């Protein structure tokens, strides 16, 4: 019935359910409806998880200084990935702290909006990124976190590194290059790390899979990192990373039997 369809939409919108009971008494049939709210993650709990992420020592920073290496399609793809990463992190039981570095000075109104990196910011505006709970840095990652507690290492993650990442250290900051390469761009992130004089590392994927694409997407790298933090196992982290199970990476991945 039309009235039930309208009420059904309201019940779904407010995450509620309805149950009906039939009672037969004195030759009459009575129908009673009971409406109740379904369990869901309260807004306060989600806010608490975000607060926990801000207090977490495990920090993942995205370097957005690669605008000159990407066309408009790749820039929009990067903004889409960052939005997916932010949403994915919010749903984790152990969310990580997030930061963005290398933002263009045009955000302060002191530079030309034609700056290559400004396109990334403009693409992020479509996702209302000004509402995201994360750190925003105008300087490069090396300069942005120079005042952090002494002894906190900065590790730039790139598939071109010769060093495999053995574990995730809470006293380290892990930097992911904000680069989408629909066309292969070898060693760009590695050269950026050398320019900043930072240590580099790559995810230990060789034991679990072979991949025909030279570099993983930003969201795949983040999901594997978050998976290792949650499970303590690289095998589980790689196996359970959603980005490796769907396009565009799925067609490039060949799983090994150990997984």
């Amino acid at each position: 019935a039309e009235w039930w369809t309208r009420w059904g939409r309201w019940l779904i919108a407010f995450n509620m359910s309805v149950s009906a009971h039939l009672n037969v008494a004195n030759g009459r049939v009575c129908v009673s409806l009971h409406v109740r709210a379904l369990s869901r993650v309260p807004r306060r709990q989600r806010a608490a998880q975000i607060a926990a992420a801000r207090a977490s020592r495990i920090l993942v920073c995205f370097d957005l200084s690669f605008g000159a290496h990407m066309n408009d399609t790749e820039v929009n793809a990067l903004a889409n990935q960052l939005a997916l990463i932010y949403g994915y992190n919010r749903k984790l039981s152990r969310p990580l702290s997030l930061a963005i570095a290398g933002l263009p000075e045009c955000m302060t109104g002191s530079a030309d909006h034609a700056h290559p990196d400004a396109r990334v910011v403009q693409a992020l505006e479509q996702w209302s990124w000004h509402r995201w709970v994360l750190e925003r840095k105008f300087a490069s990652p090396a300069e942005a976190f120079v005042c952090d507690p002494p002894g906190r290492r900065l590790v730039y993650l790139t598939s071109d590194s010769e060093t495999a990442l053995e574990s995730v250290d809470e006293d380290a900051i892990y930097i992911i290059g904000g680069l989408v390469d629909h066309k292969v761009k070898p060693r760009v992130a590695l050269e950026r790390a050398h320019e900043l004089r930072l240590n580099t590392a790559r995810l230990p994927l060789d034991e679990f899979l072979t991949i025909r694409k030279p570099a993983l997407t930003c969201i795949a790298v983040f999901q594997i990192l978050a998976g290792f933090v949650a499970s303590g196992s690289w095998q589980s982290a790689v196996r359970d990373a959603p980005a490796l199970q769907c396009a565009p990476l799925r067609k490039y991945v060949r799983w090994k039997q150990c997984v």
Side-chain angles (χ1 to χ4, degrees):
E2 184 179 352
W3 70 270
W4 176 253
T5 302
R6 291 198 303 267
W7 275 102
R9 292 173 180 171
W10 278 101
L11 292 171
I12 293 173
F14 288 96
N15 203 26
M16 306 181 75
S17 68
V18 62
S19 58
H21 298 277
L22 295 177
N23 297 318
V24 180
N26 300 325
R28 294 186 302 177
V29 178
C30 299
V31 180
S32 59
L33 299 178
H34 300 273
V35 180
R36 64 185 180 89
L38 297 176
S39 61
R40 64 176 181 176
V41 179
R43 181 177 300 178
R44 291 182 179 179
Q45 182 176 342
R46 294 199 303 269
Q49 290 178 345
I50 295 176
R54 296 185 67 182
S56 173
R57 288 189 57 83
I58 302 177
L59 178 62
V60 178
C61 175
F62 295 91
D63 184 4
L64 300 189
S65 59
F66 295 93
H69 296 275
M70 296 184 289
N71 57 35
D72 290 341
T73 301
E74 292 169 331
V75 167
N76 289 329
L78 173 62
N80 182 47
Q81 286 192 47
L82 293 175
L84 292 173
I85 288 169
Y86 184 76
Y88 183 84
N89 189 57
R90 287 188 60 180
K91 296 178 182 178
L92 294 176
S93 58
R94 296 185 61 189
L96 309 181
S97 293
L98 300 180
I100 290 178
L103 292 171
E105 293 182 357
C106 62
M107 289 186 60
T108 64
S110 60
D112 187 2
H113 282 71
H115 191 285
D117 297 335
R119 293 182 302 148
V120 179
V121 175
Q122 294 169 1
L124 285 171
E125 290 294 344
Q126 302 176 8
W127 297 97
S128 300
W129 81 300
H130 56 279
R131 299 180 181 177
W132 297 358
V133 182
L134 46 71
E135 295 185 55
R136 295 171 177 82
K137 305 289 187 179
F138 294 98
S140 68
E143 297 171 340
F145 300 102
V146 68
C147 295
D148 267 37
R152 195 168 193 188
R153 299 182 301 117
L154 275 70
V155 180
Y156 210 113
L157 298 177
T158 168
S159 59
D160 294 316
S161 176
E162 298 180 356
T163 305
L165 186 65
E166 297 181 358
S167 63
V168 176
D169 185 1
E170 291 190 356
D171 292 326
I173 298 174
Y174 296 94
I175 305 168
I176 299 175
L179 176 67
V180 173
D181 51 353
H182 291 167
K183 293 183 179 180
V184 178
K185 303 178 178 73
R187 301 181 65 84
V188 173
L190 183 63
E191 292 173 359
R192 171 64 171 167
H194 289 166
E195 176 188 345
L196 299 177
R197 298 181 180 180
L198 297 178
N199 295 326
T200 63
R202 56 179 171 79
L203 297 179
L205 304 178
D206 297 340
E207 184 178 350
F208 313 111
L209 56 82
T210 57
I211 183 167
R212 292 183 289 123
K213 196 174 188 299
L216 295 178
T217 58
C218 295
I219 190 171
V221 175
F222 180 82
Q223 288 176 348
I224 294 173
L225 276 179
F228 180 83
V229 172
S231 66
S233 167
W234 286 117
Q235 180 176 353
S236 298
V238 173
R239 181 190 60 214
D240 298 335
L244 297 179
Q245 309 288 345
C246 59
L249 287 180
R250 179 176 57 188
K251 63 182 179 181
Y252 299 107
V253 174
R254 295 293 180 270
W255 297 94
K256 296 185 178 180
Q257 294 183 354
C258 63
V259 179

